[in-house]
Amino acid sequence: MSTVMKSLGLLQIFTFFLTLAVLANSVYSFQADFQDDDYFEGQLTLIVEDSLDGGATPTFSQRSTINIRSVKSDHSSITHTHPWTQEKTEKLKDLAKRDELYHLRVYQKGAEDKGYVSTFTRACQLYESALAEFLSVQMDHTLGGLSGISIATPVVTCRGNEVDQLMQHNSTVIVRSPTPAPVPDTATYIQKLEAMKHEKAEGKDNRSFLAKYWMYIIPVVLIMMLSGGGQEGGR
């Protein structure tokens, strides 16, 4: 009896702390959902800078502005604030001939910490793609908003082709955000623990008839089979 009472006491303590954990997780999920909705639907502005210098210490200048209306639904637009010029064409062409890199960096306007995220691609890929590019922006509110940027071009392999004329960047912006992890179903687990606790307290046994008395049934069946076989042999 004392062992059963002690087990019930430990089960009650475990259930109490598990319930507290579920309540805390529910409060956190509510706050996180509120913040996520506020964050994912808010408008963000990103400043894009690039460098056509090459080398180990490139010099950057403002190139474009990305306006993100909704991170959740990937509503965004890009505006090229500085026109493309013939001088820039010659610089990019020179970078392509020397197989240098085209550098790009982005920061979030209005953020407390003006932290840049950077990326690069081969200059010849951008040049032979006639300035067509895909910009993938990674957003994560847990890291303060902007967490990464990557660039890709239609031309993957450079072949040294000449481009007649470069007009302006043809940019496609893709906004990505992390997918939330699944939440464990702790409520169902607590319900099972409660049911087990009540069953032990009331002394109930929900096992089937065979599960309870199989150790008695099997010997009887064996004896009947053996006795039946003996009688048939005697005949």
Side-chain angles (χ1 to χ4, degrees):
M1 184 66 179
S2 60
T3 304
V4 174
M5 295 300 293
K6 187 180 295 183
S7 299
L8 289 175
L10 291 174
L11 187 61
Q12 289 176 345
I13 294 173
F14 177 75
T15 305
F16 172 75
F17 282 106
L18 192 59
T19 304
L20 288 180
V22 172
L23 291 174
N25 182 63
S26 300
V27 174
Y28 172 78
S29 298
F30 173 78
Q31 294 176 345
D33 289 341
F34 175 78
Q35 292 173 355
D36 287 350
D37 291 340
D38 193 34
Y39 165 74
F40 284 130
E41 295 301 333
Q43 184 167 343
L44 301 173
T45 301
L46 308 179
I47 306 301
V48 182
E49 299 178 353
D50 69 348
S51 175
L52 295 170
D53 294 337
T57 56
T59 302
F60 289 87
S61 59
Q62 185 172 334
R63 194 200 86 173
S64 311
T65 300
I66 299 175
N67 292 308
I68 302 175
R69 299 182 182 87
S70 173
V71 176
K72 183 185 296 183
S73 55
D74 189 13
H75 286 169
S76 60
S77 62
I78 184 168
T79 303
H80 301 297
T81 53
H82 290 69
W84 189 262
T85 62
Q86 184 61 35
E87 181 184 358
K88 292 181 179 180
T89 298
E90 295 301 326
K91 286 186 175 182
L92 182 61
K93 186 176 181 180
D94 182 61
L95 287 177
K97 285 183 178 180
R98 294 187 284 116
D99 198 18
E100 292 273 1
L101 297 176
Y102 171 77
H103 292 271
L104 194 77
R105 69 181 187 181
V106 181
Y107 71 91
Q108 183 176 333
K109 185 177 180 181
E112 295 181 2
D113 180 17
K114 187 181 177 181
Y116 287 97
V117 292
S118 305
T119 186
F120 60 85
T121 187
R122 294 176 65 189
C124 61
Q125 291 176 327
L126 184 63
Y127 174 73
E128 294 184 26
S129 298
L131 299 180
E133 61 186 5
F134 300 94
L135 300 179
S136 179
V137 180
Q138 290 82 40
M139 305 297 297
D140 189 349
H141 75 283
T142 60
L143 299 178
L146 180 63
S147 61
I149 181 74
S150 61
I151 182 174
T153 58
V155 174
V156 178
T157 303
C158 297
R159 303 184 182 278
N161 297 329
E162 290 285 340
V163 180
D164 295 335
Q165 189 176 10
L166 300 180
M167 301 297 295
Q168 186 58 272
H169 288 275
N170 182 13
S171 307
T172 301
V173 179
I174 304 170
V175 181
R176 303 183 185 277
S177 59
T179 304
V183 179
D185 187 8
T186 52
T188 303
Y189 182 66
I190 290 178
Q191 291 176 359
K192 289 182 180 180
L193 289 177
E194 290 289 344
M196 291 172 58
K197 182 179 71 173
H198 288 304
E199 289 174 4
K200 289 184 178 180
E202 296 176 4
K204 289 184 178 180
D205 192 347
N206 294 327
R207 293 180 299 170
S208 64
F209 180 80
L210 291 175
K212 292 180 183 178
Y213 304 109
W214 65 271
M215 70 287 293
Y216 305 111
I217 296 173
I218 291 178
V220 174
V221 173
L222 290 175
I223 292 172
M224 292 178 64
M225 291 175 62
L226 292 174
S227 60
Q231 291 176 1
E232 291 179 0
R235 293 177 187 173

